[in-house]
């Protein structure tokens, strides 16, 4: 790999940015999450982030590039969080129940109402005519399947009879998605927890 020495690096022109890109990205994601990609305007994003259009373009590119950054940021964070939660000590039933509880807590949050999952709630709709969003949504689902499959393979003796790690991963990923959809449509926490418990009972051997 070819690397530039510090002395060979090109000089940056203009003043350094006076805002935190991560914070701005999080606020922009909130706009997309609440309104959806199509309905979210750059004026909405500018108002939420406190930046004008030229600053947004300079930092992130156009609206679509900003949206893709928000999707990728969410995908990376979700995989990291899932891996950490599924790696905790405890029985498979305990660990899986805790993950679903954490997901429900995130899905029912939102200043404008229950928002579900950012990727499921926005990218699935956008994917119809947006190849980049479709590819990222597919990669997100594949990530979830892979992380679940790895955990279930390590605890195959704790799976319900006849359930393979592959099948259990498919069920667990589908459960996350239905929880996200049900939360976005307004189902309360108690109802979501019933769905989660049913999935855990289906995947895990009786305790």
């Amino acid at each position: 790999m070819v690397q530039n020495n510090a002395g060979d690096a090109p000089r940056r022109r203009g003043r350094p940015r006076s805002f935190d890109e991560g914070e701005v990205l999080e606020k922009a994601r909130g706009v997309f999450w609440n309104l959806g990609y199509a309905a979210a305007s750059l004026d909405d994003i500018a108002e939420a982030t406190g930046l004008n259009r030229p600053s947004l373009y300079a930092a992130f590119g156009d609206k679509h590039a900003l949206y893709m950054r928000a999707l990728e940021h969410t995908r990376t964070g979700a995989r990291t969080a899932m891996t950490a939660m599924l790696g905790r000590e405890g029985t498979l039933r305990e660990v899986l129940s805790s993950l679903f509880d954490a997901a429900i807590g995130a899905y029912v949050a939102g200043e404008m109402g229950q928002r579900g999952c950012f990727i499921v709630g926005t990218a699935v709709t956008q994917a119809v005519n947006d190849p980049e969003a479709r590819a990222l949504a597919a990669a997100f689902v594949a990530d979830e399947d892979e992380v679940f499959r790895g955990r279930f393979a390590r605890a195959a003796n704790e799976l319900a009879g006849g359930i393979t790690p592959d099948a259990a991963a498919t069920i667990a990923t589908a459960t996350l998605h239905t929880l996200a959809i049900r939360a976005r449509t307004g189902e309360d926490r108690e109802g979501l927890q019933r769905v989660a418990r049913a999935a855990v009972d289906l995947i895990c051997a009786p305790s």
Side-chain angles (χ1 to χ4, degrees):
M1 179 182 294
V2 177
Q3 295 180 329
N4 289 329
N5 294 325
D8 297 330
R11 295 180 179 178
R12 293 185 178 182
R13 296 181 177 179
R15 293 180 298 176
R17 291 174 183 162
S18 58
F19 57 86
D20 184 316
E21 284 197 9
E23 182 179 341
V24 171
L25 185 61
E26 191 68 24
K27 290 179 179 178
R29 182 176 73 156
V31 176
F32 288 127
W33 204 341
N34 288 331
L35 304 180
Y37 174 77
S41 69
L42 279 175
D43 287 338
D44 293 324
I45 296 168
E47 181 178 358
T49 61
L51 297 179
N52 57 30
R53 286 189 177 207
S55 294
L56 287 170
Y57 281 125
F60 302 102
D62 60 15
K63 172 185 164 181
H64 188 263
L66 176 56
Y67 176 62
M68 292 305 302
R69 282 277 300 274
L71 288 176
E72 187 58 56
H73 173 71
T74 302
R75 176 195 170 193
T76 300
R79 182 177 182 118
T80 299
M82 279 187 65
T83 301
M85 284 187 280
L86 289 175
R88 292 174 178 171
E89 295 294 327
T91 67
L92 181 61
R93 177 176 290 272
E94 290 168 344
V95 170
L96 189 58
S97 296
S98 293
L99 183 144
F100 286 147
D101 283 344
I104 290 169
Y107 294 163
V108 299
E111 69 279 1
M112 294 178 64
Q114 297 183 182
R115 299 191 298 188
C117 168
F118 174 58
I119 295 179
V120 172
T122 67
V124 171
T125 301
Q126 185 63 17
V128 174
N129 61 0
D130 185 336
E132 289 185 71
R134 184 186 311 124
L136 192 142
F140 173 69
V141 175
D143 285 347
E144 292 177 314
D145 283 345
E146 181 182 354
V147 176
F148 276 130
R149 188 182 305 116
R151 181 62 177 85
F152 296 149
R154 296 193 300 273
N157 63 322
E158 297 182 67
L159 294 175
I163 299 291
T164 65
D166 281 348
T170 300
I171 295 167
T173 296
T175 300
L176 282 180
H177 297 169
T178 197
L179 289 172
I181 293 168
R182 286 169 177 260
R184 197 168 175 94
T185 59
E187 187 160 347
D188 62 20
R189 187 184 290 264
E190 183 178 349
L192 298 174
Q193 289 171 337
R194 282 197 298 271
V195 173
R197 286 194 297 270
V200 171
D201 287 340
L202 184 61
I203 292 169
C204 299
S207 54

